[in-house]
Amino acid sequence: MSEYPHLENALKHYFGYDSFRYPQREIIVEALENRDLLVIMPTGGGKSLCFQLPALIKKGLTVVVSPLIALMQDQVDGLRKNGIPATFLNSSVSPYKTRMREQAILNGKIKLLYVAPERLLSEKFLPLLDLVHHQIGISAFAIDEAHCVSEWGHDFRPEYRQMILLRKRYPNVPTWALTATATERVRADIIKQLGLIQPSVHIASFNRQNLYYEVRQKKKNSYVELLDLIHKTEGSGIIYCLTRKKVEELAFKLQHDNISALPYHAGLSDTERSENQTKFIRDDARIMVATIAFGMGINKPDVRFVVHFDISRNLESYYQESGRAGRDGESSRCTLFLSYSDVKTIEWLIDQKSDEQEQMIAKQQLRQMIDYAEGTDCRRTIQLSYFGERFTGNCGNCDNCCNPQPVEDWTIEAMKFLSCVARCKQRFGMKHIIDILQGRKTQKILAKGHDQLSTYGIGKDRSLDEWRMLARSLLHQGLLEQTTDGYSVLKLNSLSWEVMRKQRSVSIVVPPQEKAIWKGERSEKAEEAEFLFQRLRQLRKQLADAQSVPPYAIFGDSTLRLMTQMKPKNKQEFSKLAGVGSHKLSQYGDKFIALIQAYLQENDSISSKSNSSNGDISYTELQTFELHQQGLSIKEIAQQRNLRSTTITRHLSDLIEKNQPVNLNLLVTVEKQKKIIQVLDILGDVPLTPIKEYLGDSYSFDEIRLVRGKWRKSVNHSSKK
Ligand code: ADP
Ligand code: ZN
């Protein structure tokens, strides 16, 4: 679009971004032409900019209606960090401050005003709006979270229904409605309830390319798997559980394992909830364990992973909840743990509903959720098709695409299983059938004489888990049924008989043993780059704490990443980074540039020394060495030097390699040293990861790195001879 050539300049000036995301530009152009708008974008799509930039360009005040006080505060803080004149009015603001802010508005000093809907329509407020309208003009009403106006949405708020009054009072002021809710019904409702006139409707794709989706089976040791996932993922995360009790338990367990996790659910007091939320947003706590009460109104853009430790009730909720990861566009992970006992719990909850129609819909939605979790197609294809969007698959960023699951013919096994159900006269559950197939001598089997059945023991070649997998798949493929009265008795249907008569074959997905590799997992080399990133984060946190704002309000993760890549040397280079607007450049530029330069200098000495063959020792290594000789542990040295312990380990390992008298026995037990040397002799000088895989979890990277120093020294030594 060639119209409005200045838009890109304004974008860079106010927000520091170089280009619009699709379809922001189209939306903004129409906003500037005073059209009514309905904007539907997934979370993280960049909705706010669609009304914020026009608000800055247009004459007058833009009034933003937002349902949550916390959200308002957040957005206004963010804008002010960019030097944009924005403010908010709600019940949390004192009368004195309210008057001051109203004055500022009437003086034309404010471009964006955030208000809660109930305030907007109060008798005191409307006269103020009238004044604004006459004196400086109202450029638009932006209705954020517009789905709140619809009963069909997931968050109906009756106050939103009053908004139509604005239309009547100020017929010439355009209304812009924005939401992340995708369903057709809600869309139509928003247009009707807000009285939008020939609105231009923009629906962005719901494909969130930066999110890696995966589903794992929940097993007894899934907690360990969860811990592992937390350890190998950087940054903040949300873990969703179904019930308050589970939230409490899991948060407690994680804390016990030294992970800074906090609980969040409706059973906590308001103060506790908001304290925990603030700690999470400010990066004082890394993980929020929560029920679905947590999320709406959390604007944290740098959530790096969302785990559903229990399954969601439906795919739309799952999409919205998991979508709280990676709003900043950086790669993030969404993991769902599937367990059939959780499904049972949800089914039970659904059964408590009194309305039969509601029950049916809820069950069907749950079914779709399970189909997603069990699906073998690209996860994106399944999700997007739910929103009526076609996606061709092969996204390359989900477990099914990265690790296609082999399908196997299990017709024979299916025949065995189904005929066992038939022999038991369709009166038993899955567990009993499998016990018979596996030839177990349970009390029930002996009491019923089922050890006399012809199918007794014909399934010894398959494990309990394999039989379960088959049975579930038969159920999901509709080749077998189960009573839903709470007893779960297996029943045959006409398709089951087709299978038994060999008129129908059965294929099931057999998950491979090894786990999918996630793009975000870092190699040893990437870890070096990570170091600077962590330092930048530390600086960001210091600045944020000093101003009592969340870290992301200073710079987003993506801007920090760019700093690690571009390593700007001066303000001019710094200003080019996406996310650096004129205001932030003058506020923070110098501090970040100084840090990057200090890092480069330090690193220079490291790289020049490690390339030199004569084994020169750098200054930073020397400092580490001195502290080591004073008897400090790696952790203590790291603390004292304000470096990461991995860096200290690296120093020590290099020092060993350079024949310095580092006391390795203090750092790694002699037994472990022996074992590591053995493995190195077998594998050679390969990266640490395969060595660690060989040795197992009881060996740390640090230990291996240190011993590798010793091993390298001996190898170099013998090769020189
Ligand atoms: P939504 O309200 O749709 O969930 P936001 O408006 O909060 O999304 O935007 C999500 C993130 O994307 C924010 O961190 C925002 O600064 C960033 N963003 C928005 N537009 C752009 C753009 N054109 N270029 C780069 N980043 C952008
Ligand atoms: Zn995929």
Side-chain angles (χ1 to χ4, degrees):
M1 217 176 280
S2 59
E3 299 162 279
Y4 299 98
H6 58 278
L7 279 185
E8 271 74 14
N9 295 342
L11 177 69
K12 179 66 190 168
H13 176 78
Y14 289 116
F15 296 97
Y17 301 130
D18 292 313
S19 55
F20 290 102
R21 287 189 190 151
Y22 181 78
Q24 284 174 333
R25 198 181 203 285
E26 285 74 2
I27 295 168
I28 290 166
V29 165
E30 290 189 333
L32 292 173
E33 287 169 353
N34 289 325
R35 288 198 61 171
D36 278 358
L37 294 172
L38 173 58
V39 173
I40 295 154
M41 265 189 201
T43 305
K47 277 186 290 302
S48 323
L49 207 85
C50 298
F51 61 84
Q52 288 168 347
L53 194 63
L56 292 166
I57 296 173
K58 287 181 78 167
K59 231 177 103 273
L61 175 78
T62 294
V63 179
V64 186
V65 181
S66 178
L68 296 167
I69 292 180
L71 200 91
M72 247 179 247
Q73 170 102 47
D74 249 37
Q75 288 233 356
V76 170
D77 283 350
L79 287 166
R80 293 191 152 256
K81 280 270 146 301
N82 274 319
I84 292 166
T87 191
F88 64 89
L89 290 174
N90 60 37
S91 51
S92 74
V93 183
S94 71
Y96 172 73
K97 273 197 177 162
T98 301
R99 271 202 309 283
M100 300 288 285
R101 289 181 187 182
E102 288 176 358
Q103 241 351 288
I105 291 166
L106 287 170
N107 291 336
K109 296 221 170 88
I110 301 291
K111 294 301 292 176
L112 281 139
L113 167 67
Y114 283 72
V115 278
E118 55 275 15
R119 151 84 42 160
L120 187 61
L121 299 157
S122 71
E123 279 173 24
K124 274 194 209 144
F125 194 75
L126 283 173
L128 174 77
L129 263 193
D130 284 345
L131 265 181
V132 175
H133 189 48
H134 282 113
Q135 292 182 5
I136 50 174
I138 301 174
S139 48
F141 292 109
I143 319 287
D144 209 0
E145 314 288 351
H147 59 273
C148 291
V149 81
S150 170
E151 272 169 323
W152 301 108
H154 49 77
D155 195 23
F156 175 52
R157 287 164 190 254
E159 319 86 81
Y160 262 66
R161 282 283 163 91
Q162 311 285 313
M163 221 70 73
I164 187 100
L165 293 176
L166 293 173
R167 167 89 322 160
K168 296 198 171 130
R169 203 174 174 109
Y170 312 104
N172 295 324
V173 177
T175 302
W176 306 331
L178 304 101
T179 176
T181 302
T183 60
E184 185 66 51
R185 201 169 212 172
V186 176
R187 270 177 230 166
D189 216 18
I190 292 173
I191 295 180
K192 183 165 149 239
Q193 301 292 346
L194 293 178
L196 301 186
I197 297 164
Q198 295 185 338
S200 160
V201 181
H202 292 269
I203 304 168
S205 168
F206 274 66
N207 182 7
R208 304 275 311 277
Q209 292 175 17
N210 59 316
L211 302 187
Y212 175 85
Y213 293 105
E214 65 174 350
V215 179
R216 302 179 181 203
Q217 297 288 332
K218 192 148 140 192
K219 301 184 218 103
K220 278 218 179 68
N221 63 351
S222 284
Y223 176 72
V224 180
E225 219 177 299
L226 179 69
L227 265 186
D228 181 54
L229 196 146
I230 293 171
H231 281 308
K232 68 185 183 199
T233 317
E234 287 275 348
S236 309
I238 305 173
I239 303 173
Y240 282 112
C241 301
L242 261 178
T243 61
R244 295 174 192 183
K245 187 160 163 272
K246 284 192 178 179
V247 166
E248 290 286 351
E249 281 170 6
L250 186 58
F252 182 78
K253 260 170 129 174
L254 289 171
Q255 284 163 1
H256 193 77
D257 281 314
N258 281 327
I259 291 183
S260 75
L262 291 173
Y264 189 104
H265 57 70
L268 298 174
S269 72
D270 286 354
T271 358
E272 271 175 302
R273 273 211 309 272
S274 84
E275 267 174 24
N276 288 358
Q277 179 173 324
T278 306
K279 282 190 188 147
F280 178 65
I281 286 174
R282 303 235 167 121
D283 289 349
D284 290 324
R286 202 183 143 208
I287 285 169
M288 194 65 114
V289 187
T291 59
I292 50 171
F294 179 74
M296 164 91 171
I298 306 306
N299 234 334
K300 192 171 168 51
D302 51 1
V303 173
R304 290 278 75 87
F305 61 98
V306 172
V307 174
H308 280 74
F309 208 50
D310 299 329
I311 196 168
S312 293
R313 285 155 211 252
N314 59 58
L315 205 46
E316 163 119 34
S317 313
Y318 180 69
Y319 177 85
Q320 302 292 357
E321 287 149 19
S322 60
R324 292 181 182 130
R327 294 173 68 136
D328 55 8
E330 294 286 301
S331 56
S332 309
R333 177 199 282 251
C334 304
T335 307
L336 168 71
F337 281 90
L338 170 67
S339 123
Y340 292 92
S341 68
D342 296 340
V343 171
K344 279 250 159 66
T345 310
I346 297 184
E347 275 172 349
W348 185 85
L349 289 171
I350 294 174
D351 285 337
Q352 307 311 301
K353 290 182 192 262
S354 49
D355 187 318
E356 236 174 73
Q357 174 76 11
E358 252 182 72
Q359 272 193 19
M360 256 174 59
I361 295 171
K363 284 211 169 130
Q364 194 185 6
Q365 289 184 329
L366 179 62
R367 178 74 258 153
Q368 283 168 317
M369 185 66 223
I370 299 168
D371 286 345
Y372 167 80
E374 290 180 331
T376 52
D377 294 318
C378 170
R379 305 269 179 216
R380 277 188 167 64
T381 307
I382 309 178
Q383 285 186 14
L384 293 173
S385 75
Y386 185 78
F387 297 121
E389 200 177 321
R390 284 257 284 281
F391 183 77
T392 47
N394 285 324
C395 73
N397 201 21
C398 77
D399 53 354
N400 285 344
C401 288
C402 293
N403 199 358
Q405 307 203 351
V407 176
E408 282 181 15
D409 186 324
W410 278 48
T411 310
I412 303 290
E413 285 81 356
M415 288 166 68
K416 287 182 184 172
F417 191 93
L418 295 172
S419 48
C420 191
V421 175
R423 301 254 175 249
C424 293
K425 306 213 159 54
Q426 309 186 45
R427 277 199 221 128
F428 296 88
M430 193 187 291
K431 176 76 174 51
H432 187 65
I433 302 293
I434 297 175
D435 281 343
I436 297 173
L437 288 168
Q438 293 195 312
R440 291 181 197 280
K441 289 196 162 58
T442 66
Q443 260 187 351
K444 200 166 168 183
I445 287 178
L446 298 177
K448 304 269 175 202
H450 283 168
D451 50 345
Q452 304 303 315
L453 293 176
S454 59
T455 51
Y456 183 75
I458 59 169
K460 284 184 178 155
D461 53 332
R462 296 283 180 194
S463 70
L464 174 63
D465 279 341
E466 284 175 316
W467 282 116
R468 280 218 183 107
M469 181 173 70
L470 170 71
R472 265 188 247 123
S473 187
L474 290 173
L475 284 167
H476 297 135
Q477 295 185 50
L479 304 176
L480 174 68
E481 282 174 29
Q482 195 170 29
T483 56
T484 51
D485 54 357
Y487 293 99
S488 305
V489 172
L490 296 177
K491 299 277 180 194
L492 303 171
N493 60 21
S494 57
L495 296 180
S496 322
W497 290 105
E498 284 182 21
V499 173
M500 281 186 274
R501 285 191 220 105
K502 257 197 148 195
Q503 291 163 343
R504 177 181 283 275
S505 64
V506 177
S507 302
I508 67 165
V509 168
V510 186
Q513 291 308 302
E514 62 280 72
K515 284 176 229 134
I517 293 169
W518 180 50
K519 269 188 186 168
E521 257 164 48
R522 283 178 279 106
S523 65
E524 205 194 329
K525 202 169 169 194
E527 199 156 288
E528 302 270 352
E530 197 60 24
F531 180 48
L532 175 56
F533 182 68
Q534 293 308 334
R535 279 220 203 154
L536 292 167
R537 278 185 65 133
Q538 279 170 14
L539 173 59
R540 177 176 72 171
K541 176 80 175 121
Q542 281 166 13
L543 294 171
D545 284 349
Q547 302 174 38
S548 291
V549 296
Y552 61 76
I554 309 277
F555 286 122
D557 279 3
S558 22
T559 308
L560 296 192
R561 288 255 174 249
L562 283 173
M563 290 183 205
T564 66
Q565 284 158 23
M566 312 307 288
K567 303 196 182 67
K569 283 192 278 301
N570 49 44
K571 275 193 163 183
Q572 208 228 334
E573 288 180 17
F574 195 79
S575 74
K576 294 216 178 93
L577 304 177
V580 179
S582 53
H583 192 72
K584 286 188 179 172
L585 174 68
S586 64
Q587 286 260 294
Y588 311 117
D590 288 335
K591 297 201 176 73
F592 281 89
I593 293 167
L595 190 155
I596 294 164
Q597 290 316 305
Y599 167 84
L600 282 178
Q601 267 165 18
E602 186 181 311
N603 230 41
D604 250 10
S605 58
I606 292 174
S607 55
S608 61
K609 65 92 220 250
S610 58
N611 290 340
S612 62
S613 52
N614 58 9
D616 276 349
I617 296 157
S618 71
Y619 180 62
T620 177
E621 284 175 352
L622 202 62
Q623 281 180 307
T624 295
F625 187 49
E626 277 169 7
L627 293 172
H628 169 72
Q629 285 190 315
Q630 288 168 24
L632 271 65
S633 71
I634 291 182
K635 212 170 155 190
E636 287 162 342
I637 302 175
Q639 263 165 8
Q640 184 148 343
R641 298 206 53 203
N642 197 19
L643 291 171
R644 292 199 313 168
S645 50
T646 325
T647 312
I648 304 301
T649 311
R650 193 170 291 146
H651 291 166
L652 290 172
S653 149
D654 287 353
L655 286 160
I656 296 172
E657 203 178 320
K658 289 170 196 160
N659 221 352
Q660 296 304 308
V662 171
N663 193 343
L664 186 59
N665 294 355
L666 282 182
L667 307 170
V668 188
T669 65
V670 179
E671 258 163 68
K672 279 191 168 177
Q673 287 184 39
K674 267 195 200 148
K675 185 84 201 186
I676 296 171
I677 297 270
Q678 273 175 9
V679 173
L680 280 162
D681 282 338
I682 298 168
L683 296 181
D685 203 344
V686 294
L688 296 180
T689 314
I691 303 174
K692 179 153 162 42
E693 264 163 22
Y694 203 102
L695 286 160
D697 283 342
S698 49
Y699 291 76
S700 71
F701 277 112
D702 284 353
E703 287 171 334
I704 301 170
R705 195 191 295 279
L706 287 163
V707 178
R708 189 174 63 177
K710 175 175 164 184
W711 180 81
R712 278 181 176 166
K713 181 181 75 179
S714 65
V715 173
N716 287 342
H717 212 66
S718 47
S719 64
K720 270 178 200 154
K721 271 181 192 169

